[in-house]
Amino acid sequence: MTIFFLTIAIVVVLLLLEVPVGFSFGLGALFYGVLTGTDISFHAGYGYSQIGAFSLLALPLFVQAGTLMGTGGISERLLDFVNAFVGRTKGGLGAVTVLSCAMFGAISGSASAAIAAIGKIMVPRMIKEGYPEGHATALVAVSSVLALMIPPSIPMIVFAIATRQSVAKVFLATMLPGILLALVYCALNFWFLRKNNTIKVSPKLPLRDVGREIWGAGKRASLAIIMPFIILGGIYSGVATPTEAGAVALVYTLFVGFVIYRTMTIRNLFESSKDAAILTGSVIMVLFFLFILSRGMILAQIPNQFAELLLSISDNKIILLLIINMLLLLMGMIVDDVSGGVLAAIILMPVVQKIGIDPVHFAAIVGTNLGLGNISPPCAPLLYMAGGVTKLSLDKYIGPTMKFLLLGHLPMVFVVTFIPELSLWLPSLLD
């Protein structure tokens, strides 16, 4: 156990020194192998076999589809559709941002893609309409996490592979919590802006004109709106696996962008493919080293020893769940959501199994906690990415961000943890 904690400490220090995540885990795996006298090449084959899993092919497919949506006009049409419902109310653009991130997540499964596609459009628009810069930036940052919770979710695909659970059930575990969190963020957005008099609001329209506006926006965005139903319908009807659904999403996005909307160009395709390749490559490298490290730890019985350590602290299920939540939050603060999901699967799964937590319920706990951690300093990759859209310093938007997290996301963590039915009801329909 001493070597395990020392290895984790080294990885954390490297991450805090801003060493790329993949290299941090690679050096951690090398260090662990040297200290334990294990030949790392012995575990490399296992790592290679894991990243070669067919189900993991869904990752680059959904990433590519998500990056193309931003350049193919699909995200803008989604925004206009949502805006037709709530755009003419005070704080309406904020609600449009939240709901659009949720809808975008139902197509791409990538939080960073949501920030790139939605944030780059909505943040300038909100600021132009009188929204405080810090509020607009914070809202995009916290809403981007919805793309990780509403299926198809890339981190949940990886978690399902690492824990050998049904990808479809793991997807559904975070769906209801994601929808509820979106509604909470909308409510908080309206509440925070209720006394703000600088926001410009478009004049109200007669009910008939509102209906026409919604119909027109819905007609223009219809191909984008039905995309989540095609993807998720294919998965849960049994017609397609998540990997096949990812391929359908990519082909559909290309068809709509090139043939129907005609907003996509070969240059857009090249740039999007390059961005998707970089993101996918970095994730695969992280996973490769994590699987190598996990193999060594599993053979050394580290996860079981860690489970016994936690159980020696307390045998109270509530206390253990609080400890697990704290550990997951810390993981999310330090590493990205994909890495955190694999670490949770390796280190904490034996604990939750011994205290009788359903693995699918644990998937929801992991997804909700890591989402919170990814927008909580010190690392907070999604938070800093949102700040990059507005070029603001952290002190300008950290305050509004913490309000959203403490009043919205943190309570949802406890709801998901202690009301398992919220996460298990939809997956149970597949039985």
Side-chain angles (χ1 to χ4, degrees), residues 85-287:
F85 285 93
V86 293
R88 294 182 181 274
T89 58
K90 189 175 183 179
L93 282 181
V96 170
T97 301
V98 175
L99 297 176
S100 297
C101 282
M103 293 181 69
F104 193 87
I107 301 173
S108 70
S110 170
S112 57
I115 293 176
I118 306 298
K120 288 181 180 179
I121 299 172
M122 289 306 300
V123 170
R125 188 184 297 185
M126 282 191 283
I127 293 174
K128 183 180 179 181
E129 295 300 319
Y131 283 68
E133 289 182 322
H135 178 91
T137 304
L139 192 59
V140 168
V142 299
S143 300
S144 69
V145 176
L146 298 173
L148 305 178
M149 299 179 66
I150 296 176
S153 167
I154 291 171
M156 290 295 98
I157 292 174
V158 175
F159 180 86
I161 293 170
T163 56
R164 293 178 171 80
Q165 297 297 312
S166 163
V167 174
K169 287 188 175 183
V170 169
F171 273 176
L172 288 180
T174 53
M175 179 178 279
L176 279 182
I179 293 172
L180 287 176
L181 186 59
L183 296 177
V184 169
Y185 278 153
C186 285
L188 289 174
N189 165 72
F190 285 121
W191 175 259
F192 293 155
L193 297 176
R194 69 192 186 284
K195 295 181 180 179
N196 190 307
N197 297 318
T198 64
I199 296 175
K200 302 173 187 175
V201 182
S202 300
K204 299 287 185 182
L205 292 176
L207 187 59
R208 178 180 294 179
D209 291 341
V210 171
R212 288 175 180 170
E213 185 177 12
I214 293 173
W215 173 256
K219 190 176 180 180
R220 289 190 297 273
S222 57
L223 293 175
I225 295 169
I226 65 173
M227 192 173 174
F229 297 99
I230 293 174
I231 296 171
L232 299 179
I235 294 173
Y236 296 115
S237 66
V239 173
T241 65
T243 300
E244 292 165 344
V248 170
L250 178 56
V251 172
Y252 185 88
T253 304
L254 288 169
F255 177 75
V256 170
F258 276 111
V259 180
I260 307 299
Y261 293 162
R262 297 183 181 179
T263 52
M264 197 177 294
T265 64
I266 295 299
R267 183 175 181 179
N268 294 149
L269 177 60
F270 176 78
E271 292 296 327
S272 298
S273 299
K274 184 177 70 173
D275 293 341
I278 291 172
L279 177 58
T280 302
S282 62
V283 171
I284 290 297
M285 186 173 74
V286 170
L287 291 177

